[in-house]
Amino acid sequence: MSLSVLPAAAVTPSPSPSTTTAPPAPTLQDAQESATNAASWVEQNWSTWLSIGLRVLLILVIAAVLRVAVRRAITKLIERMNRTAQAVDGTALGGLLVNVERRRQRSHAIGSVLRSVASFLIMGTAGLMVLGTFEINLAPLLASAGVAGVAIGFGARNLVTDFLSGVFMILEDQYGVGDSIDAGVASGEVIEVGLRVTKLRGDNGEIWYVRNGEVKRIGNLSQGWATAGVDVTVRANEELDHVRSVLADVGETMSKAEPWNELLWGPIEVLGLDSVLLDSMVVRVSAKTMPGKALTVERELRWRIKRAFDDADIRIVGGSTVQPEETPAADPTAAMAAPSAYASSSSPQSQNASPLTPPGAAK
């Protein structure tokens, strides 16, 4: 019996080293364990996810509502400014201080700037709060943003200067559409005011684009009132009281005539003698006028003064003229060259410079 068992045991094949064992198939118990682990992980973290999501949603909702409310408030404020301008327009105060188109553009520019700044601040703050909710370290981000902002501001400093100058020009109401200004680099009538560039219409019709950052001074000729001044030059032997009386009558008549009574904001005054020369004297006449109408009033005032002086037999003369000095007659020989030694055919120089005559040619 033992002999028959041993050969049978010896015949049993042993597993080859090259043969790999197949992984055991997942059992139902393993699947249950995996599901249990996932469920426990979700159960442990769902409250955190829910709180983060609710916090982000709350931040976005509050930011959106606040942005809409602020923009609507700014819009209503601008509309109220426009309604005030329209209510004042057409009155004496409106003609003095208010230009509807100017107020409209100014309020539009101010409203655009305020809305943009409010939206940037609200949404930027909301974005940083959302990143902070996800426990993201904002220090490197803020540092990088600061460095980038400094680099951009340094590279585009002219653009930033133009923008800031435009904002303060609009807020301070230094000038507006329709004003005649002298900006130093250019002068003319303002046709558009922007945050970066101001457009001017020159005297010859050209359009000047002036960067707000380049303007160092502004001379506004359309704010407040203007002064119309006329210098009248008469003969030195004219009677001053008569001249003053004629000028006063001209001023009184013009102040009552249409439309000059609206353009003149004060009486036409005879200020007196501005200068006295040997053969003439200058009488100064001045008046306050509506802004931008001084030149028109001066032309009409000269016209009326000339007609009144002709009727009163008062002669208007010019200043002392300088007689041109008589220039001596030009010397006709001044442009002629000095006589040369070669000009005389009998001179030794001329004889030496003359060509030699061939022996057979001389007879």
Side-chain angles (χ1 to χ4, degrees):
M1 290 293 296
S2 60
L3 292 177
S4 61
V5 173
L6 289 175
V11 176
T12 303
S14 61
S16 174
S18 60
T19 304
T20 57
T21 318
T27 61
L28 181 59
Q29 185 178 1
D30 296 336
Q32 290 179 351
E33 291 180 358
S34 300
T36 303
N37 294 334
S40 61
W41 184 77
V42 171
E43 184 179 0
Q44 293 175 0
N45 295 279
W46 76 271
S47 57
T48 304
W49 295 348
L50 182 60
S51 62
I52 292 176
L54 292 177
R55 201 176 305 171
V56 170
L57 181 61
L58 182 62
I59 291 173
L60 295 179
V61 169
I62 293 177
V65 172
L66 184 61
R67 178 175 177 269
V68 172
V70 171
R71 290 175 65 91
R72 185 170 299 178
I74 294 174
T75 303
K76 289 185 177 180
L77 177 62
I78 299 304
E79 291 178 354
R80 182 176 299 177
M81 292 173 58
N82 292 333
R83 286 197 300 268
T84 304
Q86 294 175 2
V88 178
D89 185 44
T91 62
L93 181 61
L96 175 63
L97 299 177
V98 178
N99 184 314
V100 175
E101 179 63 19
R102 170 178 174 176
R103 289 290 296 267
R104 187 190 65 81
Q105 288 205 5
R106 178 170 174 258
S107 60
H108 176 73
I110 294 175
S112 176
V113 172
L114 293 179
R115 283 191 292 266
S116 300
V117 171
S119 299
F120 177 77
L121 292 178
I122 294 173
M123 301 310 296
T125 305
L128 293 178
M129 293 178 65
V130 168
L131 294 178
T133 303
F134 287 102
E135 297 182 356
I136 298 176
N137 188 9
L138 300 179
L141 180 61
L142 295 178
S144 302
V147 173
V150 171
I152 294 175
F154 181 79
R157 58 186 181 277
N158 292 333
L159 182 62
V160 175
T161 302
D162 297 340
F163 181 81
L164 294 179
S165 300
V167 169
F168 283 105
M169 285 180 180
I170 293 175
L171 292 178
E172 296 173 0
D173 195 18
Q174 298 180 7
Y175 54 84
V177 176
D179 287 353
S180 296
I181 67 171
D182 181 3
V185 293
S187 60
E189 181 181 355
V190 179
I191 59 177
E192 184 178 342
V193 179
L195 294 177
R196 193 182 68 88
V197 175
T198 298
K199 293 172 63 175
L200 303 177
R201 174 77 67 178
D203 296 334
N204 298 325
E206 69 277 11
I207 296 180
W208 297 98
Y209 293 85
V210 181
R211 288 171 43 198
N212 296 329
E214 293 182 350
V215 179
K216 304 301 180 184
R217 61 173 179 84
I218 290 291
N220 196 326
L221 308 179
S222 301
Q223 287 184 353
W225 45 266
T227 302
V230 176
D231 292 332
V232 183
T233 306
V234 297
R235 292 177 298 185
N237 56 358
E238 293 287 348
E239 185 180 356
L240 291 178
D241 294 337
H242 183 46
V243 173
R244 179 188 291 272
S245 176
V246 173
L247 292 176
D249 293 340
V250 171
E252 184 178 358
T253 304
M254 184 175 173
S255 300
K256 297 178 180 179
E258 294 284 347
W260 310 109
N261 55 353
E262 297 181 358
L263 300 183
L264 291 170
W265 287 1
I268 299 178
E269 300 178 350
V270 182
L271 301 182
L273 288 176
D274 194 63
S275 64
V276 179
L277 303 176
L278 294 177
D279 57 348
S280 63
M281 54 185 178
V282 180
V283 182
R284 180 75 173 178
V285 181
S286 177
K288 289 184 179 181
T289 68
M290 182 183 295
K293 300 298 181 181
L295 185 58
T296 305
V297 173
E298 289 176 0
R299 291 170 178 170
E300 180 67 18
L301 188 57
R302 292 190 186 98
W303 183 282
R304 291 174 178 264
I305 290 174
K306 178 63 172 66
R307 294 179 60 180
F309 276 15
D310 291 342
D311 296 338
D313 197 18
I314 299 176
R315 183 181 176 185
I316 298 178
V317 298
S320 59
T321 57
V322 179
Q323 299 294 333
E325 297 181 358
E326 295 183 358
T327 57
D331 186 5
T333 62
M336 298 177 58
S340 174
Y342 295 98
S344 177
S345 58
S346 61
S347 64
Q349 293 85 350
S350 178
Q351 293 178 0
N352 293 333
S354 59
L356 298 176
T357 305
K363 292 183 180 181

